[in-house]
Amino acid sequence: MFEANCIEEQPADIVARVLEEQVPCFVTAREGVRGVLLPLDEVYTEVLELHSRVIDARMKDLVLPGKDMAMYCIQVSLSDEHDAIRFSDEEGEPVLALVGAMRFLRWMEESEEEA
């Protein structure tokens, strides 16, 4: 797991690292606005499903230079982590998700307790 600031770093670089390493990334847009960018696999899909609303978006929008990734983080944060965003590739396959940071941390704690 790693951390990145999506205002200071290139969104495409953050996405590439999550996909290459298949690890979550704590993404910060500004102070107090965080989310977790997850590779969607059997394990992390469970975290996505904990959110009451899942918004679909395209991966090509997520990797654009600028503030798109920050806006997605703000959406997740301002919804009190009820919203999550699922990103699909060009073929329409879900590959990444942006989920609430606190919800993710609670899920990790519960997973460790069950193990």
Side-chain angles (χ1 to χ4, degrees):
M1 183 175 283
F2 66 101
E3 292 189 40
N5 182 310
C6 63
I7 301 294
E8 297 172 1
E9 299 175 51
Q10 289 298 320
D13 294 342
I14 298 168
V15 167
R17 186 169 172 195
V18 170
L19 291 173
E20 182 179 315
E21 297 177 14
Q22 288 294 295
V23 295
C25 173
F26 278 98
V27 179
T28 303
R30 64 178 188 226
E31 186 70 33
V33 178
R34 294 177 59 175
V36 179
L37 192 62
L38 303 170
L40 280 180
D41 60 17
E42 295 132 15
V43 175
Y44 295 124
T45 298
E46 184 179 317
V47 182
L48 178 68
E49 293 168 352
L50 295 173
H51 294 73
S52 55
R53 183 168 72 161
V54 177
I55 300 166
D56 287 306
R58 297 176 304 189
M59 179 107 110
K60 69 179 187 175
D61 295 329
L62 179 66
V63 298
L64 290 173
K67 296 187 172 27
D68 285 43
M69 185 181 280
M71 289 297 132
Y72 289 125
C73 273
I74 291 168
Q75 172 66 38
V76 168
S77 184
L78 290 180
S79 73
D80 288 330
E81 299 193 357
H82 291 285
D83 292 354
I85 302 170
R86 176 177 39 223
F87 297 97
S88 298
D89 62 14
E90 295 296 321
E91 288 82 41
E93 292 296 316
V95 290
L96 291 173
L98 185 64
V99 300
M102 295 309 295
R103 196 175 290 259
F104 176 75
L105 291 172
R106 281 192 302 273
W107 173 81
M108 285 196 48
E109 287 173 4
E110 290 170 5
S111 295
E112 288 173 6
E113 289 172 6
E114 291 173 6

